[in-house]
């Protein structure tokens, strides 16, 4: 009997919980669930949660009048359609019947002498029809935006709070299934269920100013007199029918020691990031403001302030509370792109938060810029390299638009530039000319940075997410094994709209926008990764590209005096491409850039230079590696020859006669002279009867002192001899060295010189 009684009790509790779940699911929700938290949907009930609500509540006459009184001041000429559109969606999602909504709109029209009453009623009917069929409709966000535009955020929030107070009497199905005391308690706060069995929720407690865990518990109460009488007759199976269940609300641990009081949600039309601007308040009445940030960054700031008491719980609680605020219409939604640059929005290329050219494009200004470009090209060793950089610069700020167009099935992304090789060949200078075209050449914080500002995934993601203008990253090193993840992120960022993904919370994924294309300069070739090489324009600078000190000084003087004129080309490009958007939609980057340059020189009244339309061919990595080997080979041969000459001439006449064989002047003999005379070249040793050559790490300092930068580390040097450094024993000491046979070492030194 006891087991039967317990089973009946459990079944009754389960039934009551199921009623709450079913009622809540059928009501639908206003707002978008943040993240992918499994606690936000009941197992097997995801579609129900997403389903449209079934309007079934008629408003009382008193509430009808109160709603009309609350919004009639907003119902001005020009606002009518926006009010009706947002209000009808709002009431639909709150479960209010079509008839009640029509009565509100009819009375609004009558009170304001709105002659378009038929159109307003049609808007209401269309909205309810869409909602019933499961189509997406606007709700509280649209209505709130209209209020904000008319009266400001503070007044709009007060109005929405009042409307919600009225509608919550009808609306929240979870509250409707709870007893009156609990309904009264919860309706004063903002809460979100996170579990239905048992019933648990997170709540932004308005009085305590804390985000808490809470739960609804059930207590069984018996009629003791009836139980005693029945127990004498032995009919214990009837005990349950004479018991009742009392619902109890209990608050558990404090998760976050503040609550949101004002929330603005920024929805990026590009679909990449959503950010929140939030005002928080603590239980002392102190308020502080967090500027637009991601969920993760908001949580991090709260942690730094010591306001997060349960870190893991906060990762779920904050998205849940924001979702509840939005469902209750307490979130102002702004759909705008936060970062400056050029974007594809609703099918059109738009300039966002940038100053468009305001100065008239006179022929004089255009020709001055055009002549500067021609003069700069005449000072370069390879005009096709200059042409590649300038054409690339034209398209660079629009590269994110090309990636947005990628969604239509065609690869339109802009490859990044990777330029390596000798110093003093103009690698960085060409990059700064690109920046000057967009007036970013003086920005050392965002657009002209060192590799240390982008050498980790977070730094890299931040570096390319400020705006859509190009970024110059200097002294890049990607061949290190520790940079494998960075190389993967770079490959992804070139052709994708995101630089990297991260978990804002355990349940919420965020993505960092890959807005800026990059110019990467380095002394070393890129990693031999086919996928990376396909995504870059590899430009290698050899000794033939070196400039003399006089040339460098003259170039810098001219560049400094004329760099300010280059921005005219950027202004012309913006005007031309925003007016001729089909060029961006239909053509590749080379065609776009070449077309703009041809039009630019034509408008300037100057003949189009030969470098327009010419592009550098990607450098063959094998040629680059061969050239680097030749540089190292030349260094070692020079070291052997100089050492031989310097020390052989210091020998006495007798010693020279003893070493007559050296007069043959063979490299092999000079090498033997150097390693037989101890310490002549301290980093070249021998063992095993001089048949094995040992190269010690000290050679790296000598390479650096001679400004040879094509070999980044000792391991790279070993790879030139088809080996790797190893620990060997020399003179009873363990040393790290490159070990290679004497013949293999001589074969390396005697390899034919590159043509």
């Amino acid at each position: 009997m006891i087991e039967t009684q317990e089973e009946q009790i459990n079944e009754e509790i389960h039934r009551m919980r199921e009623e709450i779940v079913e009622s809540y699911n059928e009501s639908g929700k206003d707002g978008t669930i943040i993240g992918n938290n499994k606690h936000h949907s009941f197992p097997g009930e995801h579609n129900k949660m997403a389903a449209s609500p079934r309007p079934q509540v008629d408003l009382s006459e008193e509430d009808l009048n109160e709603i009309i009184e609350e919004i009639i001041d907003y119902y001005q000429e020009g606002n009518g359609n926006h009010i009706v559109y947002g209000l009808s969606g709002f009431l639909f999602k709150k479960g209010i019947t079509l008839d009640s909504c029509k009565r509100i709109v009819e009375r609004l029209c009558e009170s304001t002498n709105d002659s378009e009453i038929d159109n307003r009623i049609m808007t209401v009917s269309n909205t309810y029809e869409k909602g019933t069929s499961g189509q997406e409709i606007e709700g509280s966000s649209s209505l709130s935006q209209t209020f904000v535009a008319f009266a400001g955020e503070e007044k709009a929030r007060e109005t929405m709070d009042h409307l919600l107070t009225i509608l919550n009497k009808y609306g929240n199905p979870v509250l409707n299934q709870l007893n009156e005391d609990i309904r009264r308690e919860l309706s004063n706060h903002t809460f979100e269920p996170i579990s239905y069995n048992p019933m648990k929720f997170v709540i932004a407690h308005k009085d305590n100013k804390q985000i808490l865990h809470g739960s609804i518990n059930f207590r069984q109460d018996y009629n003791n007199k009836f139980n005693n009488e029945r127990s004498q007759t032995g009919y214990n199976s009837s005990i349950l029918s004479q018991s009742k269940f009392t619902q109890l609300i209990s608050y558990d641990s404090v998760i976050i020691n503040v609550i949101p009081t004002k929330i603005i949600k920024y929805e990026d039309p590009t679909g990449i990031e959503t950010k929140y601007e939030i005002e928080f308040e603590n239980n002392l009445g102190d308020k502080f403001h967090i500027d637009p940030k991601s969920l993760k960054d908001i949580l991090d700031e709260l942690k730094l302030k010591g306001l997060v008491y349960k870190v893991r719980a906060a990762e779920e609680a904050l998205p849940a509370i924001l979702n509840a605020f939005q469902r209750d219409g307490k979130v102002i939604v702004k759909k705008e792109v936060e970062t400056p640059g050029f974007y594809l929005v609703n099918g059109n290329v738009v300039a966002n938060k940038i100053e468009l050219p305001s100065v008239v494009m006179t022929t004089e200004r255009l020709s001055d810029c055009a002549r500067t470009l021609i003069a700069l090209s005449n000072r370069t060793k390879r005009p096709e390299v200059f042409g590649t950089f300038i054409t690339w610069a034209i398209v660079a700020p629009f590269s994110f638009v090309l990636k947005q167009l990628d969604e239509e099935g065609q690869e339109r992304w802009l490859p990044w530039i990777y330029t390596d090789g000798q110093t003093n060949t103009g690698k960085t200078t060409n990059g700064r000319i690109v920046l000057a075209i967009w007036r970013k050449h003086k920005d050392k914080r965002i657009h002209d940075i060192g590799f240390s500002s982008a050498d980790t995934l977070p730094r890299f993601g931040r570096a390319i997410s400020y705006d859509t203008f190009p970024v110059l990253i200097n002294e890049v090193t990607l061949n290190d094994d520790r940079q494998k993840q960075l190389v993967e992120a770079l490959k992804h960022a070139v052709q994708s709209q995101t630089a990297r993904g991260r978990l804002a919370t355990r349940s919420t994924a965020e993505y960092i926008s890959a807005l800026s294309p990059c110019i990467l300069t380095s002394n070393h070739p890129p990693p031999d990764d086919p996928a990376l090489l396909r995504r870059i324009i590899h430009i290698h600078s050899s000794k033939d590209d070196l400039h003399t000190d006089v040339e460098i000084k003259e170039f810098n003087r001219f560049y400094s005096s004329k760099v300010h004129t280059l921005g005219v080309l950027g202004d012309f490009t913006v005007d031309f491409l925003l007016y001729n958007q089909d060029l961006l939609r239909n053509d590749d980057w080379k065609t776009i850039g070449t077309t703009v340059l041809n039009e630019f020189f034509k408008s300037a009244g100057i003949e189009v230079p030969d470098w327009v339309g010419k592009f550098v061919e990607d450098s063959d990595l094998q040629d680059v590696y061969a050239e680097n080997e030749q540089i190292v080979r030349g260094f070692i041969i020079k070291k052997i020859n100089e050492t031989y000459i310097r020390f052989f001439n210091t020998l006495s006449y007798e010693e020279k006669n003893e070493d007559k064989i050296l007069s043959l002047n063979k490299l092999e003999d000079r090498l033997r002279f150097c390693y037989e005379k101890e310490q002549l070249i301290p980093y070249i040793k021998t063992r095993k009867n001089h048949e094995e050559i040992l190269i010690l790490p000290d050679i790296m300092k000598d390479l650096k002192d001679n400004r040879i930068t094509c070999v980044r580390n000792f391991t790279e040097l070993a790879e030139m001899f088809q080996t790797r450094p190893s620990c060997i024993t020399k003179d009873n000491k363990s040393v790290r060295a490159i070990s290679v046979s004497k013949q293999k070492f001589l074969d390396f030194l005697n390899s034919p010189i590159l043509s």
Side-chain angles (χ1 to χ4, degrees), residues 496-529:
S496 302
Q497 296 182 40
T498 55
R500 57 183 288 264
R502 67 180 181 186
L503 285 179
T505 70
R506 284 186 295 165
S507 60
T508 305
E510 280 188 349
Y511 295 92
I512 298 175
S513 300
L515 301 179
S516 296
C518 293
I519 300 169
L520 311 172
T521 74
S522 178
N523 292 321
H524 317 288
D528 191 8
D529 181 335

Side-chain angles (χ1 to χ4, degrees), residues 173-222:
V174 176
L175 289 177
N176 291 340
Q177 295 296 320
L178 302 175
N179 69 43
E180 185 178 351
D181 291 338
I182 293 179
R183 285 204 305 270
R184 187 182 304 112
E185 165 67 16
L186 289 179
S187 63
N188 291 326
H189 315 290
T190 302
F191 72 98
E192 178 76 352
I194 57 173
S195 172
Y196 295 112
N197 192 10
M199 183 67 177
K200 293 183 179 180
F201 52 86
V202 289
I203 183 169
H205 201 284
K206 192 174 181 180
D207 301 326
N208 295 356
K209 300 294 190 296
Q210 294 171 322
I211 296 177
L212 312 165
H213 270 139
S215 60
I216 303 295
N217 300 311
F218 296 87
R219 184 183 69 199
Q220 185 182 21
D221 297 325
Y222 292 95

Side-chain angles (χ1 to χ4, degrees), residues 363-373 562 564-565 604 606:
T363 303
E364 182 181 357
R365 296 182 73 240
L366 292 171
S367 62
D368 191 18
C369 175
R371 289 191 179 92
T372 298
L373 288 169
K562 287 294 186 178
H564 66 280
T565 67
I606 293 177

Side-chain angles (χ1 to χ4, degrees), residues 480-498:
D480 195 309
D481 287 343
R482 292 172 296 180
Q483 300 296 359
K484 286 183 178 179
Q485 283 189 317
L486 185 61
V487 171
E488 292 303 312
L490 189 151
K491 291 189 295 187
H492 184 76
V494 172
Q495 68 178 100
S496 302
Q497 296 182 40
T498 55

Side-chain angles (χ1 to χ4, degrees), residues 69-87:
E69 184 179 342
E70 186 66 33
I71 65 177
I72 194 168
D73 289 340
Y74 295 96
Y75 202 88
Q76 305 285 332
E77 184 176 353
N79 269 358
N81 194 55
H82 295 299
I83 293 287
V84 172
Y85 180 67
L87 180 65

